[in-house]
Amino acid sequence: MEKLRKLLESVDACAERLEQLNTRFAHLATESTHESVETWKKVKDRIEFDYGDEKKVYDSGPDVQAIAIELLEQQGHSLEDVIDILVTEHDIEINIEGLAQTIGRTAYIAALRKDAAELLKNAISFSQIASLWNDLDRPAFGGENWTARSVAILVE
């Protein structure tokens, strides 16, 4: 049983590292690498260990994706606010790249568009938005950094 536990911990560490690499090198990540991480997250929640008379479920903790999406979509928080709330209220450490990966492309784009709309209402230019998002280390699409053009394309 100890060997199985160690094996699962090892696979979990590999999946976590693959997720980090997918985030850091998004331009190299493939659909298969993303699916592998998501599949492991789903599978590990259902793995049971037999400890004599009792069974314990290998628990990965709270559903970070569901919590984050609720905070973004239903409660209207910004991406950075969600990170702060996850840390303070749920004791979940996550960075902006990890949050973007966790919530998925659609929710991430929706959050960016909402944020950009607010900034544009306050007469902040596409260039200024790009600079702000780069300062906040928000992952950009199609490049390493946000540009005025990439923000404009996202908003349109």
Side-chain angles (χ1 to χ4, degrees), residues 61-120:
D63 184 354
V64 179
Q65 182 182 33
I67 294 169
I69 288 175
E70 179 182 345
L71 290 169
L72 284 167
E73 294 176 358
Q74 295 173 357
Q75 296 183 22
H77 292 285
S78 71
L79 293 163
E80 289 73 24
D81 288 344
V82 169
I83 291 170
D84 291 341
I85 292 168
L86 288 173
V87 169
T88 58
E89 295 181 15
H90 301 281
D91 200 30
I92 299 169
E93 290 283 334
I94 193 167
N95 61 22
I96 189 71
E97 292 88 7
L99 179 62
Q101 182 71 32
T102 299
I103 63 175
R105 184 177 177 92
T106 303
Y108 182 60
I109 289 172
L112 291 173
R113 285 183 174 154
K114 179 181 163 266
D115 189 30
E118 280 295 313
L119 292 168
L120 289 168

Side-chain angles (χ1 to χ4, degrees), residues 21-102:
L21 292 170
N22 282 342
T23 301
R24 186 168 181 198
F25 302 103
H27 61 287
L28 297 175
T30 65
E31 187 175 334
S32 296
T33 60
H34 289 289
E35 286 177 10
S36 296
V37 172
E38 292 306 314
T39 300
W40 173 247
K41 286 179 180 179
K42 291 175 186 172
V43 168
K44 78 176 188 176
D45 290 337
R46 290 177 274 179
I47 297 173
E48 294 183 353
F49 290 104
D50 189 2
Y51 293 100
D53 295 340
E54 67 177 299
K55 287 187 175 182
K56 294 187 179 178
V57 175
Y58 182 73
D59 186 14
S60 65
D63 184 354
V64 179
Q65 182 182 33
I67 294 169
I69 288 175
E70 179 182 345
L71 290 169
L72 284 167
E73 294 176 358
Q74 295 173 357
Q75 296 183 22
H77 292 285
S78 71
L79 293 163
E80 289 73 24
D81 288 344
V82 169
I83 291 170
D84 291 341
I85 292 168
L86 288 173
V87 169
T88 58
E89 295 181 15
H90 301 281
D91 200 30
I92 299 169
E93 290 283 334
I94 193 167
N95 61 22
I96 189 71
E97 292 88 7
L99 179 62
Q101 182 71 32
T102 299

Side-chain angles (χ1 to χ4, degrees), residues 114-130:
K114 179 181 163 266
D115 189 30
E118 280 295 313
L119 292 168
L120 289 168
K121 276 196 315 192
N122 291 307
I124 307 296
S125 70
F126 290 136
S127 178
Q128 291 170 318
I129 293 171

